[in-house]
Amino acid sequence: GAGVSQSPRYKVAKRGQDVALRCDPISGHVSLFWYQQALGQGPEFLTYFQNEAQLDKSGLPSDRFFAERPEGSVSTLKIQRTQQEDSAVYLCASSPRSDYHYEQYFGPGTRLTVT
Amino acid sequence: AQTVTQSQPEMSVQEAETVTLSCTYDTSESNYYLFWYKQPPSRQMILVIRQEAYKQQNATENRFSVNFQKAAKSFSLKISDSQLGDTAMYFCAFMKGAQKLVFGQGTRLTINP
């Protein structure tokens, strides 16, 4: 079946613009994660959804970052007033379970470049 | 908070050789999961192998195996008979229960022909 998809694959934004990154998880997967991966670094957790509920947003770096999953399927990560330090790859992962997430399936990521 | 440390930023070996990537972690938990992920240039994170902390037997997946030393909090990955397609970034990661993955900084592995 289809894996996790993300769009766009590449996004260039001028500093101060708003961007929206989309994640389509594997159909039926309950849990969805967003991670931020700076160049040359390991991914870092941003936020977690169980169905439509955002259960953990402790990793969001500022109030400019906002994520939603209104119908418990597709999720959107929005970054307002982008800054250069927001340049990174944004990875989405989904998991079929709500308790243990040892099966996380990753999408190909969106590379965001803020100029 | 849990931390994961990969002390080898880069490694390079010849095709068909065996290579071992190191990982240490810090946690006060008794039950958790450890992972090795592969990230090729396409950026897709691919699960290589997973180890449950309560299982003493080291996990193996074909050419990939781990050496899990719980007391030492060490979790190394051994790749046998390395292939050109193994060239990628490798990330060690930790997870407890229903929480997020915590990743190390990664090791860039190059397999030379």
Short mmCIF file of all heavy atoms in Angstrom, two decimals, chain A residues 4-6 21-26 29-35 45-56 67-70 72-77 91-98 101 103-105, chain B residues 100:
data_model
loop_
_atom_site.label_atom_id
_atom_site.label_comp_id
_atom_site.label_asym_id
_atom_site.label_seq_id
_atom_site.Cartn_x
_atom_site.Cartn_y
_atom_site.Cartn_z
N VAL A 4 3.75 6.98 3.65
CA VAL A 4 3.50 8.35 4.08
C VAL A 4 3.98 9.30 2.98
O VAL A 4 5.09 9.13 2.47
CB VAL A 4 4.26 8.65 5.39
CG1 VAL A 4 4.04 10.10 5.82
CG2 VAL A 4 3.83 7.68 6.48
N SER A 5 3.14 10.23 2.63
CA SER A 5 3.56 11.20 1.61
C SER A 5 3.55 12.60 2.21
O SER A 5 2.77 12.89 3.13
CB SER A 5 2.66 11.14 0.38
OG SER A 5 1.33 11.44 0.72
N GLN A 6 4.42 13.43 1.68
CA GLN A 6 4.53 14.82 2.15
C GLN A 6 4.63 15.74 0.95
O GLN A 6 5.24 15.39 -0.07
CB GLN A 6 5.77 15.00 3.03
CG GLN A 6 5.69 14.25 4.35
CD GLN A 6 6.86 14.57 5.26
OE1 GLN A 6 7.66 13.70 5.57
NE2 GLN A 6 6.94 15.81 5.72
N LEU A 21 2.99 23.01 5.34
CA LEU A 21 3.54 21.74 4.91
C LEU A 21 2.52 20.65 5.20
O LEU A 21 1.96 20.59 6.30
CB LEU A 21 4.85 21.46 5.66
CG LEU A 21 5.87 22.61 5.72
CD1 LEU A 21 7.11 22.18 6.49
CD2 LEU A 21 6.23 23.09 4.34
N ARG A 22 2.32 19.77 4.24
CA ARG A 22 1.27 18.77 4.34
C ARG A 22 1.84 17.37 4.54
O ARG A 22 2.87 17.02 3.95
CB ARG A 22 0.41 18.79 3.08
CG ARG A 22 -0.70 17.76 3.02
CD ARG A 22 -1.38 17.77 1.67
NE ARG A 22 -2.29 16.65 1.50
CZ ARG A 22 -3.62 16.76 1.53
NH1 ARG A 22 -4.20 17.93 1.72
NH2 ARG A 22 -4.37 15.68 1.36
N CYS A 23 1.14 16.59 5.34
CA CYS A 23 1.51 15.19 5.55
C CYS A 23 0.27 14.31 5.37
O CYS A 23 -0.76 14.54 6.02
CB CYS A 23 2.09 14.97 6.95
SG CYS A 23 2.36 13.23 7.37
N ASP A 24 0.40 13.30 4.51
CA ASP A 24 -0.65 12.30 4.33
C ASP A 24 -0.15 10.99 4.93
O ASP A 24 0.71 10.33 4.34
CB ASP A 24 -0.98 12.08 2.85
CG ASP A 24 -1.81 13.18 2.27
OD1 ASP A 24 -1.25 14.24 1.95
OD2 ASP A 24 -3.03 12.99 2.16
N PRO A 25 -0.66 10.60 6.08
CA PRO A 25 -0.16 9.37 6.71
C PRO A 25 -0.70 8.13 6.01
O PRO A 25 -1.56 8.22 5.13
CB PRO A 25 -0.74 9.48 8.13
CG PRO A 25 -2.02 10.22 7.94
CD PRO A 25 -1.75 11.22 6.84
N ILE A 26 -0.19 6.99 6.42
CA ILE A 26 -0.72 5.73 5.92
C ILE A 26 -2.17 5.60 6.39
O ILE A 26 -2.47 5.90 7.56
CB ILE A 26 0.15 4.56 6.40
CG1 ILE A 26 1.54 4.66 5.77
CG2 ILE A 26 -0.50 3.23 6.08
CD1 ILE A 26 2.55 3.67 6.31
N HIS A 29 -3.74 4.86 10.08
CA HIS A 29 -2.79 5.07 11.17
C HIS A 29 -3.33 6.10 12.16
O HIS A 29 -3.74 7.19 11.78
CB HIS A 29 -1.43 5.49 10.63
CG HIS A 29 -0.60 4.33 10.19
ND1 HIS A 29 0.76 4.40 10.04
CD2 HIS A 29 -0.95 3.06 9.90
CE1 HIS A 29 1.22 3.23 9.67
NE2 HIS A 29 0.20 2.39 9.56
N VAL A 30 -3.27 5.74 13.41
CA VAL A 30 -3.86 6.54 14.47
C VAL A 30 -2.96 7.70 14.86
O VAL A 30 -3.39 8.82 15.09
CB VAL A 30 -4.13 5.65 15.71
CG1 VAL A 30 -4.53 6.47 16.91
CG2 VAL A 30 -5.17 4.60 15.37
N SER A 31 -1.68 7.42 14.92
CA SER A 31 -0.73 8.40 15.47
C SER A 31 0.09 9.06 14.37
O SER A 31 0.43 8.43 13.36
CB SER A 31 0.22 7.71 16.46
OG SER A 31 -0.51 7.14 17.53
N LEU A 32 0.40 10.33 14.60
CA LEU A 32 1.16 11.09 13.60
C LEU A 32 2.14 12.00 14.32
O LEU A 32 1.77 12.67 15.31
CB LEU A 32 0.22 11.92 12.72
CG LEU A 32 0.83 12.66 11.54
CD1 LEU A 32 -0.13 12.68 10.36
CD2 LEU A 32 1.28 14.05 11.89
N PHE A 33 3.36 12.01 13.84
CA PHE A 33 4.44 12.80 14.45
C PHE A 33 5.02 13.76 13.41
O PHE A 33 5.13 13.42 12.24
CB PHE A 33 5.57 11.89 14.93
CG PHE A 33 5.19 10.93 16.03
CD1 PHE A 33 4.54 9.75 15.74
CD2 PHE A 33 5.51 11.21 17.35
CE1 PHE A 33 4.19 8.86 16.74
CE2 PHE A 33 5.18 10.32 18.36
CZ PHE A 33 4.52 9.15 18.05
N TRP A 34 5.47 14.90 13.88
CA TRP A 34 6.28 15.82 13.08
C TRP A 34 7.64 15.96 13.75
O TRP A 34 7.74 16.11 14.98
CB TRP A 34 5.64 17.21 12.99
CG TRP A 34 4.48 17.32 12.03
CD1 TRP A 34 3.15 17.26 12.33
CD2 TRP A 34 4.55 17.54 10.62
NE1 TRP A 34 2.40 17.43 11.20
CE2 TRP A 34 3.23 17.61 10.13
CE3 TRP A 34 5.61 17.69 9.72
CZ2 TRP A 34 2.94 17.83 8.78
CZ3 TRP A 34 5.32 17.90 8.38
CH2 TRP A 34 3.99 17.96 7.93
N TYR A 35 8.69 15.91 12.91
CA TYR A 35 10.06 16.11 13.37
C TYR A 35 10.72 17.17 12.49
O TYR A 35 10.40 17.31 11.31
CB TYR A 35 10.88 14.81 13.25
CG TYR A 35 10.42 13.67 14.12
CD1 TYR A 35 9.43 12.79 13.70
CD2 TYR A 35 10.99 13.46 15.38
CE1 TYR A 35 9.01 11.75 14.50
CE2 TYR A 35 10.58 12.41 16.18
CZ TYR A 35 9.59 11.55 15.74
OH TYR A 35 9.18 10.52 16.54
N PHE A 45 11.93 16.03 17.66
CA PHE A 45 10.49 15.98 17.78
C PHE A 45 9.88 17.37 17.84
O PHE A 45 10.40 18.27 18.52
CB PHE A 45 10.14 15.21 19.05
CG PHE A 45 8.69 15.28 19.46
CD1 PHE A 45 7.75 14.50 18.83
CD2 PHE A 45 8.29 16.15 20.47
CE1 PHE A 45 6.42 14.55 19.22
CE2 PHE A 45 6.96 16.21 20.87
CZ PHE A 45 6.03 15.41 20.24
N LEU A 46 8.78 17.54 17.11
CA LEU A 46 8.02 18.79 17.19
C LEU A 46 6.69 18.58 17.91
O LEU A 46 6.40 19.23 18.90
CB LEU A 46 7.75 19.34 15.79
CG LEU A 46 8.96 19.85 15.00
CD1 LEU A 46 8.53 20.27 13.60
CD2 LEU A 46 9.63 21.00 15.73
N THR A 47 5.87 17.66 17.36
CA THR A 47 4.53 17.50 17.91
C THR A 47 3.96 16.14 17.55
O THR A 47 4.45 15.46 16.64
CB THR A 47 3.60 18.63 17.40
OG1 THR A 47 2.34 18.57 18.08
CG2 THR A 47 3.36 18.52 15.90
N TYR A 48 2.91 15.73 18.30
CA TYR A 48 2.32 14.41 18.15
C TYR A 48 0.81 14.50 18.22
O TYR A 48 0.26 15.19 19.08
CB TYR A 48 2.86 13.51 19.27
CG TYR A 48 2.04 12.28 19.59
CD1 TYR A 48 1.77 11.33 18.61
CD2 TYR A 48 1.56 12.05 20.88
CE1 TYR A 48 1.03 10.20 18.90
CE2 TYR A 48 0.82 10.93 21.17
CZ TYR A 48 0.55 10.00 20.19
OH TYR A 48 -0.19 8.88 20.48
N PHE A 49 0.16 13.77 17.30
CA PHE A 49 -1.30 13.67 17.28
C PHE A 49 -1.72 12.22 17.47
O PHE A 49 -1.11 11.30 16.93
CB PHE A 49 -1.85 14.13 15.92
CG PHE A 49 -1.74 15.59 15.67
CD1 PHE A 49 -0.59 16.14 15.12
CD2 PHE A 49 -2.80 16.44 15.97
CE1 PHE A 49 -0.49 17.50 14.88
CE2 PHE A 49 -2.71 17.80 15.73
CZ PHE A 49 -1.55 18.32 15.19
N GLN A 50 -2.78 12.06 18.23
CA GLN A 50 -3.47 10.78 18.26
C GLN A 50 -4.87 11.07 17.71
O GLN A 50 -5.65 11.78 18.34
CB GLN A 50 -3.56 10.23 19.68
CG GLN A 50 -4.13 8.82 19.74
CD GLN A 50 -4.18 8.29 21.17
OE1 GLN A 50 -5.24 8.06 21.72
NE2 GLN A 50 -3.02 8.14 21.76
N ASN A 51 -5.14 10.51 16.53
CA ASN A 51 -6.33 10.91 15.77
C ASN A 51 -6.29 12.43 15.57
O ASN A 51 -5.29 12.96 15.12
CB ASN A 51 -7.60 10.42 16.44
CG ASN A 51 -7.65 8.90 16.46
OD1 ASN A 51 -7.52 8.25 15.42
ND2 ASN A 51 -7.83 8.32 17.64
N GLU A 52 -7.34 13.14 15.96
CA GLU A 52 -7.33 14.59 15.73
C GLU A 52 -6.80 15.36 16.93
O GLU A 52 -6.62 16.58 16.87
CB GLU A 52 -8.75 15.07 15.39
CG GLU A 52 -9.75 14.98 16.52
CD GLU A 52 -10.35 13.60 16.67
OE1 GLU A 52 -9.91 12.67 15.94
OE2 GLU A 52 -11.26 13.43 17.50
N ALA A 53 -6.53 14.67 18.02
CA ALA A 53 -6.08 15.34 19.24
C ALA A 53 -4.57 15.52 19.24
O ALA A 53 -3.82 14.57 19.05
CB ALA A 53 -6.51 14.53 20.45
N GLN A 54 -4.15 16.75 19.49
CA GLN A 54 -2.72 17.04 19.60
C GLN A 54 -2.32 16.81 21.05
O GLN A 54 -2.58 17.65 21.92
CB GLN A 54 -2.44 18.48 19.17
CG GLN A 54 -0.97 18.82 19.06
CD GLN A 54 -0.74 20.23 18.49
OE1 GLN A 54 -1.62 21.07 18.53
NE2 GLN A 54 0.44 20.47 17.95
N LEU A 55 -1.67 15.69 21.31
CA LEU A 55 -1.38 15.29 22.68
C LEU A 55 -0.05 15.83 23.20
O LEU A 55 0.15 15.87 24.42
CB LEU A 55 -1.39 13.76 22.80
CG LEU A 55 -2.72 13.07 22.47
CD1 LEU A 55 -2.63 11.59 22.80
CD2 LEU A 55 -3.87 13.72 23.22
N ASP A 56 0.83 16.20 22.31
CA ASP A 56 2.13 16.69 22.76
C ASP A 56 2.63 17.70 21.73
O ASP A 56 2.79 17.35 20.56
CB ASP A 56 3.11 15.52 22.90
CG ASP A 56 4.44 15.93 23.52
OD1 ASP A 56 4.71 17.15 23.66
OD2 ASP A 56 5.23 15.02 23.87
N ALA A 67 0.39 23.23 14.28
CA ALA A 67 0.06 22.00 13.55
C ALA A 67 -1.38 21.62 13.83
O ALA A 67 -1.90 21.89 14.91
CB ALA A 67 1.00 20.86 13.96
N GLU A 68 -1.98 20.99 12.84
CA GLU A 68 -3.35 20.54 13.00
C GLU A 68 -3.58 19.25 12.24
O GLU A 68 -2.88 18.94 11.27
CB GLU A 68 -4.33 21.62 12.54
CG GLU A 68 -4.20 22.01 11.08
CD GLU A 68 -5.16 23.13 10.69
OE1 GLU A 68 -5.88 23.64 11.55
OE2 GLU A 68 -5.17 23.47 9.49
N ARG A 69 -4.60 18.54 12.68
CA ARG A 69 -5.01 17.27 12.03
C ARG A 69 -6.52 17.16 12.27
O ARG A 69 -6.99 16.31 13.01
CB ARG A 69 -4.26 16.10 12.67
CG ARG A 69 -4.35 14.81 11.87
CD ARG A 69 -3.70 13.64 12.64
NE ARG A 69 -3.70 12.43 11.83
CZ ARG A 69 -3.53 11.22 12.34
NH1 ARG A 69 -3.35 11.05 13.64
NH2 ARG A 69 -3.53 10.18 11.53
N PRO A 70 -7.28 18.00 11.63
CA PRO A 70 -8.70 18.20 11.98
C PRO A 70 -9.59 16.97 11.86
O PRO A 70 -10.54 16.84 12.62
CB PRO A 70 -9.15 19.32 11.04
CG PRO A 70 -8.15 19.31 9.93
CD PRO A 70 -6.86 18.85 10.53
N GLY A 72 -8.31 13.76 11.76
CA GLY A 72 -7.59 12.57 12.18
C GLY A 72 -6.87 11.84 11.07
O GLY A 72 -6.47 10.69 11.24
N SER A 73 -6.68 12.52 9.95
CA SER A 73 -5.94 11.89 8.85
C SER A 73 -4.82 12.82 8.41
O SER A 73 -3.76 12.84 9.04
CB SER A 73 -6.89 11.57 7.69
OG SER A 73 -6.18 11.02 6.60
N VAL A 74 -5.06 13.62 7.38
CA VAL A 74 -4.05 14.57 6.88
C VAL A 74 -3.69 15.58 7.96
O VAL A 74 -4.55 16.03 8.73
CB VAL A 74 -4.58 15.29 5.63
CG1 VAL A 74 -3.66 16.41 5.21
CG2 VAL A 74 -4.79 14.29 4.50
N SER A 75 -2.41 15.92 8.00
CA SER A 75 -1.95 16.92 8.96
C SER A 75 -1.22 18.04 8.22
O SER A 75 -0.59 17.80 7.18
CB SER A 75 -1.01 16.29 9.98
OG SER A 75 -0.50 17.27 10.88
N THR A 76 -1.31 19.22 8.77
CA THR A 76 -0.62 20.38 8.20
C THR A 76 0.21 21.03 9.29
O THR A 76 -0.28 21.27 10.40
CB THR A 76 -1.61 21.40 7.64
OG1 THR A 76 -2.44 20.77 6.65
CG2 THR A 76 -0.86 22.55 6.98
N LEU A 77 1.47 21.30 8.97
CA LEU A 77 2.35 22.07 9.84
C LEU A 77 2.49 23.45 9.22
O LEU A 77 2.89 23.59 8.08
CB LEU A 77 3.72 21.40 9.95
CG LEU A 77 4.79 22.14 10.77
CD1 LEU A 77 4.40 22.19 12.24
CD2 LEU A 77 6.15 21.47 10.61
N LEU A 91 10.05 16.28 8.72
CA LEU A 91 9.67 14.89 8.51
C LEU A 91 8.36 14.60 9.24
O LEU A 91 8.15 15.05 10.36
CB LEU A 91 10.75 13.95 9.05
CG LEU A 91 12.12 14.01 8.37
CD1 LEU A 91 13.15 13.23 9.19
CD2 LEU A 91 12.04 13.44 6.97
N CYS A 92 7.54 13.83 8.59
CA CYS A 92 6.30 13.36 9.18
C CYS A 92 6.39 11.83 9.30
O CYS A 92 6.98 11.16 8.43
CB CYS A 92 5.12 13.75 8.28
SG CYS A 92 3.52 13.11 8.78
N ALA A 93 5.85 11.30 10.37
CA ALA A 93 5.82 9.85 10.56
C ALA A 93 4.45 9.45 11.09
O ALA A 93 3.83 10.21 11.85
CB ALA A 93 6.90 9.41 11.53
N SER A 94 3.98 8.27 10.70
CA SER A 94 2.72 7.78 11.24
C SER A 94 2.91 6.40 11.84
O SER A 94 3.85 5.66 11.48
CB SER A 94 1.62 7.77 10.18
OG SER A 94 1.85 6.78 9.19
N SER A 95 2.03 6.07 12.76
CA SER A 95 2.10 4.81 13.49
C SER A 95 0.70 4.23 13.62
O SER A 95 -0.25 4.96 13.86
CB SER A 95 2.70 5.06 14.87
OG SER A 95 2.55 3.94 15.71
N PRO A 96 0.58 2.91 13.47
CA PRO A 96 -0.76 2.32 13.53
C PRO A 96 -1.35 2.24 14.94
O PRO A 96 -2.54 2.01 15.10
CB PRO A 96 -0.55 0.92 12.96
CG PRO A 96 0.89 0.62 13.22
CD PRO A 96 1.61 1.93 13.14
N ARG A 97 -0.52 2.44 15.95
CA ARG A 97 -0.99 2.25 17.32
C ARG A 97 -1.05 3.55 18.09
O ARG A 97 -0.42 4.54 17.74
CB ARG A 97 -0.06 1.26 18.04
CG ARG A 97 -0.04 -0.10 17.40
CD ARG A 97 0.89 -1.03 18.13
NE ARG A 97 0.48 -1.21 19.53
CZ ARG A 97 0.75 -2.30 20.23
NH1 ARG A 97 1.40 -3.30 19.66
NH2 ARG A 97 0.39 -2.39 21.49
N SER A 98 -1.78 3.51 19.18
CA SER A 98 -1.88 4.68 20.06
C SER A 98 -1.08 4.50 21.34
O SER A 98 -0.88 5.45 22.07
CB SER A 98 -3.35 4.95 20.42
OG SER A 98 -3.90 3.83 21.10
N HIS A 101 4.72 3.20 19.96
CA HIS A 101 4.98 3.70 18.61
C HIS A 101 6.26 3.13 18.05
O HIS A 101 7.05 3.85 17.43
CB HIS A 101 5.05 5.22 18.63
CG HIS A 101 3.81 5.85 19.21
ND1 HIS A 101 2.56 5.60 18.72
CD2 HIS A 101 3.65 6.68 20.26
CE1 HIS A 101 1.68 6.27 19.45
NE2 HIS A 101 2.30 6.93 20.37
N GLU A 103 6.58 1.23 15.66
CA GLU A 103 6.50 1.13 14.20
C GLU A 103 6.13 2.50 13.66
O GLU A 103 4.96 2.80 13.47
CB GLU A 103 5.45 0.12 13.78
CG GLU A 103 5.80 -1.32 14.06
CD GLU A 103 4.76 -2.28 13.50
OE1 GLU A 103 4.86 -2.64 12.32
OE2 GLU A 103 3.85 -2.64 14.27
N GLN A 104 7.12 3.32 13.47
CA GLN A 104 6.87 4.64 12.89
C GLN A 104 7.36 4.61 11.45
O GLN A 104 8.50 4.26 11.18
CB GLN A 104 7.61 5.74 13.67
CG GLN A 104 6.98 6.02 15.01
CD GLN A 104 7.47 7.30 15.64
OE1 GLN A 104 7.82 8.27 14.96
NE2 GLN A 104 7.49 7.33 16.96
N TYR A 105 6.49 5.00 10.54
CA TYR A 105 6.79 5.01 9.12
C TYR A 105 6.95 6.46 8.69
O TYR A 105 6.04 7.27 8.88
CB TYR A 105 5.67 4.33 8.32
CG TYR A 105 5.49 2.88 8.69
CD1 TYR A 105 4.69 2.52 9.76
CD2 TYR A 105 6.13 1.88 7.97
CE1 TYR A 105 4.52 1.19 10.11
CE2 TYR A 105 5.96 0.55 8.30
CZ TYR A 105 5.16 0.21 9.39
OH TYR A 105 5.00 -1.11 9.73
N LYS B 100 7.80 10.01 21.85
CA LYS B 100 8.48 10.26 20.58
C LYS B 100 9.83 9.58 20.53
O LYS B 100 10.39 9.15 21.54
CB LYS B 100 8.66 11.77 20.37
CG LYS B 100 9.74 12.37 21.28
CD LYS B 100 9.19 12.98 22.52
CE LYS B 100 10.23 13.81 23.25
NZ LYS B 100 9.71 14.39 24.48
#
